[in-house]
Amino acid sequence: MTSKIFKFFLAPSKKKIRYKLLNQESELVIIFFHGFMSDIEGEKPLAFQKFCKRKKVGFLTFEYSGHGK
């Protein structure tokens, strides 16, 4: 399931890195770093995303350069 809420950060090297930022107005933000050879659409980040949405907590996850989609 691909979400439409992804954004892209353009690094100085011109490489695009996909990320997701939710509830950015929250004073508390959970940052999720996915594991090696996984991505930000797996079960764990989606579970954290649902929790953050339900609790109105900020959530940030991004794909490491060279990993994910």
Side-chain angles (χ1 to χ4, degrees), residues 36-50:
F36 182 68
M37 297 305 292
S38 62
D39 64 40
I40 59 179
E41 294 183 64
E43 290 180 37
K44 288 178 191 173
L46 290 178
F48 277 107
Q49 177 182 326
K50 286 178 186 177

Side-chain angles (χ1 to χ4, degrees), residues 15-67:
K15 182 163 183 97
K16 286 174 33 176
I17 299 174
R18 190 170 71 147
Y19 73 96
K20 185 186 300 182
L21 176 60
L22 304 172
N23 301 325
Q24 66 188 62
E25 62 280 347
S26 173
E27 291 185 21
L28 178 65
V29 177
I30 292 177
I31 301 173
F32 182 82
F33 295 93
H34 64 81
F36 182 68
M37 297 305 292
S38 62
D39 64 40
I40 59 179
E41 294 183 64
E43 290 180 37
K44 288 178 191 173
L46 290 178
F48 277 107
Q49 177 182 326
K50 286 178 186 177
F51 172 83
C52 290
K53 186 174 183 180
R54 191 171 63 247
K55 299 292 186 178
K56 295 182 174 54
V57 172
F59 177 71
L60 172 65
T61 186
F62 59 94
E63 292 183 326
Y64 300 109
S65 179
H67 300 282

